[in-house]
Amino acid sequence: MLGRGVGAQIATAGPHGLFSRDVREIVASADLAVLNLECCVSGRGHPWHSPGKQFHFRAPPQAIDALADLGVDCVTLANNHALDFGYTALADTLSHLSAAGISVTGAGADPDRARAPAILEAGGLRVAVLGVTDHPADFAAAPGRPGVSYANLHAGIPCWLTDQLRALATRADIVLVMPHWGPNMTTRPMPYIRSAARALTEAGATLVAGHSAHVFHGVAGRVLYDLGDFIDDYATDPALRNDLGLLFLITIDEHAPRLAEAVPLKLRYARTELASGADRDWIRSRFTSACAALGTAVSDHQGRLIAELGSER
């Protein structure tokens, strides 16, 4: 989330100081860097008005330089903030990302373009990235109307999504699905999310990496249930500790995910660094217990938390 306080920091100090040097080096070590961009990037537009909508996140155009500096290859915009400042701001976001050479999935000028995957090459493999969100319904792209790739996952996986995954599985070596699912500030995946994850992998997803809760969840099988946050200006919940996060590095062998290496992070106000000391110990305990609840064991190796990926028990 590069808007609000983070955006003010970018406007004041520039876009290059949001992430510590060691965080940037870890991201740079990956063949492909993908994230959920939970804001629009624009200097235009007006706040979206809908019942219950409290927060509107808009980053200044130079925020794109923060993503480029970090080495981001692809973002999903399928979330509940991509249209926070309306259709004009969404169009600006897409234009800024394209100009920076950052691929996009999850939003577009119509349903076909919103649902289209980003196709990338990484590590000698063809990778399809697909973004989808289960909220809010009024952000959904429709014929003649821009918006996000929306699916009511509470009701199951829609046919268009399963058909698309089956087709992508024949065209790409890796199919990464990034769903924005579930409510904020939860500590474990809801039953409908676990059902949706199974359906996505059965339909052809190589890996599912979810987000929305603002705190990380456990991993199981080929599913990272919630990545948690990476940078923001949010108030800290003293119990859930949404100021502590994880950066996930995924090892894929022979077209199958094998390991998830979770790097502990400390999220300060508009600044992300590696976690240490008591913060790191808290993250290790929390992630280990969250994974154990899903039947996955976690080991600690040289500061990284390692979970084997495979068939969910």
Side-chain angles (χ1 to χ4, degrees), residues 1 3-6 54-55 57 184-185 213-215 229 231-245 266-271:
M1 198 288 285
R4 204 168 59 183
V6 185
Q54 296 177 278
F55 305 109
F57 298 141
N184 295 346
M185 307 306 281
H214 298 299
V215 293
D229 288 346
I231 188 164
D232 58 52
D233 68 349
Y234 303 152
T236 300
D237 185 294
L240 297 178
R241 295 301 306 271
N242 54 303
D243 63 323
L244 300 179
K266 173 68 176 180
L267 279 65
R268 303 188 186 277
Y269 188 94
R271 169 79 173 177

Side-chain angles (χ1 to χ4, degrees), residues 77-143:
L77 295 175
N79 57 59
N80 59 315
H81 291 287
L83 272 171
D84 274 4
F85 282 79
Y87 303 122
T88 299
L90 174 61
D92 287 347
T93 305
L94 294 168
S95 178
H96 290 312
L97 289 165
S98 177
I102 298 173
S103 298
V104 179
T105 184
D110 53 50
D112 286 343
R113 279 179 277 190
R115 295 172 179 177
I119 306 295
L120 307 102
E121 299 286 336
L125 299 175
R126 185 174 173 85
V127 182
V129 184
L130 195 64
V132 64
T133 182
D134 68 5
H135 64 285
D138 61 340
F139 274 20

Side-chain angles (χ1 to χ4, degrees), residues 53-276:
K53 186 161 185 60
Q54 296 177 278
F55 305 109
H56 298 81
F57 298 141
R58 178 177 58 182
Q62 59 264 44
I64 293 295
D65 291 336
L67 299 178
D69 182 53
L70 187 62
V72 173
D73 297 288
C74 177
V75 305
T76 173
L77 295 175
N79 57 59
N80 59 315
H81 291 287
L83 272 171
D84 274 4
F85 282 79
Y87 303 122
T88 299
L90 174 61
D92 287 347
T93 305
L94 294 168
S95 178
H96 290 312
L97 289 165
S98 177
I102 298 173
S103 298
V104 179
T105 184
D110 53 50
D112 286 343
R113 279 179 277 190
R115 295 172 179 177
I119 306 295
L120 307 102
E121 299 286 336
L125 299 175
R126 185 174 173 85
V127 182
V129 184
L130 195 64
V132 64
T133 182
D134 68 5
H135 64 285
D138 61 340
F139 274 20
R145 186 184 74 193
V148 302
S149 176
Y150 169 78
N152 179 12
L153 300 179
H154 291 266
I157 305 299
C159 291
W160 66 261
L161 183 52
T162 54
D163 290 347
Q164 188 176 34
L165 286 172
R166 291 189 182 104
L168 284 174
T170 67
R171 296 167 44 205
D173 300 302
I174 299 167
V175 180
L176 169 62
V177 182
M178 300 188 70
H180 198 69
W181 51 16
N184 295 346
M185 307 306 281
T186 60
T187 57
R188 62 182 61 86
M190 300 177 71
Y192 90 87
I193 288 176
R194 295 193 67 175
S195 296
R198 285 192 294 270
L200 290 170
T201 55
E202 289 170 0
T206 309
L207 183 70
V208 177
H211 34 84
S212 183
H214 298 299
V215 293
F216 58 83
H217 290 180
V219 307
R222 291 178 281 138
V223 183
L224 317 177
Y225 279 101
D226 203 293
L227 303 177
D229 288 346
F230 188 47
I231 188 164
D232 58 52
D233 68 349
Y234 303 152
T236 300
D237 185 294
L240 297 178
R241 295 301 306 271
N242 54 303
D243 63 323
L244 300 179
L246 290 168
L247 170 61
F248 288 90
L249 299 171
I250 308 302
T251 300
I252 295 179
D253 288 342
E254 297 180 355
H255 306 181
R258 183 173 62 84
L259 287 178
E261 298 181 54
V263 181
L265 301 175
K266 173 68 176 180
L267 279 65
R268 303 188 186 277
Y269 188 94
R271 169 79 173 177
T272 300
E273 306 168 351
L274 294 186
S276 61

